[in-house]
């Protein structure tokens, strides 16, 4: 039984062997290996690392042929996103010869809609290598974004164009000049300090003017506590009648002269 890991880079070199039968056998080997889930994906980091070593001295054309064949087995978007992140992490500590090899890997990597997000998240890993000495990386990223733009939706296309402008700015002006001048955010949204400020209707006065204070951060004056409102007293007619019964007449209100009341009988009225 042969362990593939650790020997995969040696097997991949047979894909560019000058002998056609050997190249055919190597191609059949990787085709069979790709039938297993994630087999090629798990071997790719080790293969790329070993082939990009300075002691290997693999020709650039041979390296591109090998990587292009192995990347053809990457068909899942999650695998492509993960490879973008791993390549960015390798670029952080890569030497000059390794940087060229890793840049070629980025340019040949299958693209997905979310690969741009991975590039933006790992911006700090490669932004300092986009200058004149990193022309290969800059061109590789532009090649990758150009393939992303094909068939992209308007929203994604706008983000790709903003990312390309950021790459060009760093490549031509330098990272320090771009960062000092305020580089655009990865998502393409304006910086918080340059946000579009629109006046709000009915809020023209400041908080200090509304509260009567001199500072915009003054504490609003508390509202005076008026206390609970007195409930109206409801009087019923029965209560008023009782009050009249209890009242006593004063001396001025007592009548002094009494007038007799005469009553005629029923017979007298009938006679008249």
């Amino acid at each position: 039984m042969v362990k593939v890991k650790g020997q995969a880079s040696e097997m991949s070199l047979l894909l560019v062997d000058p002998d056609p039968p050997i190249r055919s056998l190597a191609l059949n080997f990787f085709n069979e290996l790709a039938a297993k889930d994630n087999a090629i994906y798990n071997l790719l980091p080790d293969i790329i690392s070993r082939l990009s070593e300075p002691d290997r001295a693999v020709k650039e054309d041979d390296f591109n042929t090998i990587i292009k064949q192995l990347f053809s087995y990457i068909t899942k978007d999650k695998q492509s996103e993960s490879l973008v992140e791993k390549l960015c992490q390798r670029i952080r500590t890569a030497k000059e010869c390794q940087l060229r090899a890793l840049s070629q890997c980025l340019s040949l990597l299958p693209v997905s809609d979310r690969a741009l997000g991975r590039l933006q998240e790992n911006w700090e890993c490669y932004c300092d290598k986009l200058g004149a000495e990193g022309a290969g990386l800059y061109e590789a990223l532009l090649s990758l974004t150009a393939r992303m733009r094909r068939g992209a939706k308007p929203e994604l296309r706008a983000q790709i164009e903003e990312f390309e402008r950021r790459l060009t700015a760093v490549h031509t002006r330098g990272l320090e000049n771009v960062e000092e001048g305020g580089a655009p955010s990865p998502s393409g949204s304006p910086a918080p300090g340059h946000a579009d400020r629109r006046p709000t209707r009915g809020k023209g006065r400041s908080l200090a003017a509304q509260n009567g204070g001199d500072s915009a951060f003054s504490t609003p004056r508390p509202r005076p506590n008026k206390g609970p409102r007195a409930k109206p007293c409801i009087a019923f007619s029965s209560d008023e009648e009782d009050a009249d019964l209890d009242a006593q007449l004063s001396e001025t209100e007592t009548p002094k002269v009494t007038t007799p009341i005469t009553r005629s009988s029923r017979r007298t009225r009938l006679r008249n």
Side-chain angles (χ1 to χ4, degrees):
M1 181 178 179
V2 179
K3 292 184 178 181
V4 177
K5 191 172 184 179
Q7 304 296 327
S9 59
E10 301 296 334
M11 297 290 295
S12 63
L13 288 173
L14 299 179
L15 292 172
V16 292
D17 193 87
D19 193 356
I22 295 179
R23 293 200 305 269
S24 179
L25 290 174
L27 183 60
N28 291 335
F29 169 77
F30 282 103
N31 288 338
E32 293 294 332
L33 188 62
K36 299 181 179 181
D37 294 337
N38 301 329
I40 300 294
Y41 165 77
N42 293 332
L43 294 173
L44 269 173
D46 181 69
I47 294 175
I48 295 173
S49 178
R50 292 179 182 273
L51 294 182
S52 60
E53 291 178 356
D55 299 338
R56 285 281 182 174
V58 180
K59 295 181 180 180
E60 184 175 352
D61 294 339
D62 293 343
F63 180 84
N64 293 343
T65 301
I66 295 172
I67 296 302
K68 189 174 183 179
Q69 179 61 41
L70 296 179
F71 278 173
S72 65
Y73 302 117
I74 303 300
T75 57
K76 298 179 181 180
D77 291 344
K78 291 184 178 180
Q79 294 177 348
S80 179
E81 295 173 29
S82 180
L83 286 175
V84 169
E85 185 174 4
K86 290 181 179 180
L87 289 173
C88 292
Q89 296 292 337
R90 293 287 182 90
I91 290 175
R92 181 193 293 270
T93 58
K95 298 179 180 180
E96 184 178 356
C97 58
Q98 294 175 329
L99 182 60
R100 290 196 301 268
L102 296 174
S103 301
Q104 286 299 116
C105 293
L106 280 176
S107 64
L108 299 173
L109 189 66
V111 296
S112 63
D113 294 344
R114 289 181 290 185
L116 179 63
R118 295 292 185 177
L119 289 174
Q120 294 172 340
E121 292 172 2
N122 294 275
W123 170 260
E124 298 296 334
C125 296
Y126 58 88
C127 61
D128 58 335
K129 294 180 172 59
L130 292 173
E133 66 280 0
L137 177 60
Y138 169 70
E139 294 175 357
L141 290 173
L142 288 183
S143 175
L144 182 63
T145 54
R147 289 188 289 122
M148 288 182 183
R149 194 185 296 107
R150 300 172 186 172
K153 296 181 180 180
E155 296 180 357
L156 179 60
R157 183 171 297 180
Q159 295 181 13
I160 293 173
E161 292 175 355
E162 183 67 24
F163 182 68
E164 289 176 343
R165 285 193 294 268
R166 193 181 189 191
L167 291 174
T168 303
V170 175
H171 179 67
T172 55
R173 296 162 49 191
L175 179 62
E176 296 180 357
N177 296 331
V178 173
E179 293 296 337
E180 291 178 359
S185 59
S187 60
S189 57
H194 303 279
D196 186 13
R197 298 179 180 177
R198 298 180 179 179
T200 305
R201 182 179 299 176
K203 296 184 179 180
R205 297 188 302 169
S206 62
L207 182 61
Q210 296 176 5
N211 298 328
D214 297 334
S215 174
F217 298 95
S218 60
T219 305
R221 294 181 178 178
R223 296 182 177 179
N225 188 8
K226 298 181 180 180
R229 297 182 178 178
K231 296 182 178 180
C233 181
I234 303 175
F236 297 93
S237 59
S238 58
D239 297 337
E240 296 177 355
E241 294 176 357
D242 295 340
D244 295 340
L245 294 176
D246 296 337
Q248 296 180 359
L249 296 176
S250 60
E251 184 178 356
T252 57
E253 295 177 350
T254 306
K256 298 297 182 178
V257 180
T258 58
T259 304
I261 300 174
T262 57
R263 296 182 179 179
S264 58
S265 61
R266 183 177 182 186
R267 293 179 179 178
T268 305
R269 288 196 302 267
L270 292 177
R271 289 177 183 175
N272 296 333

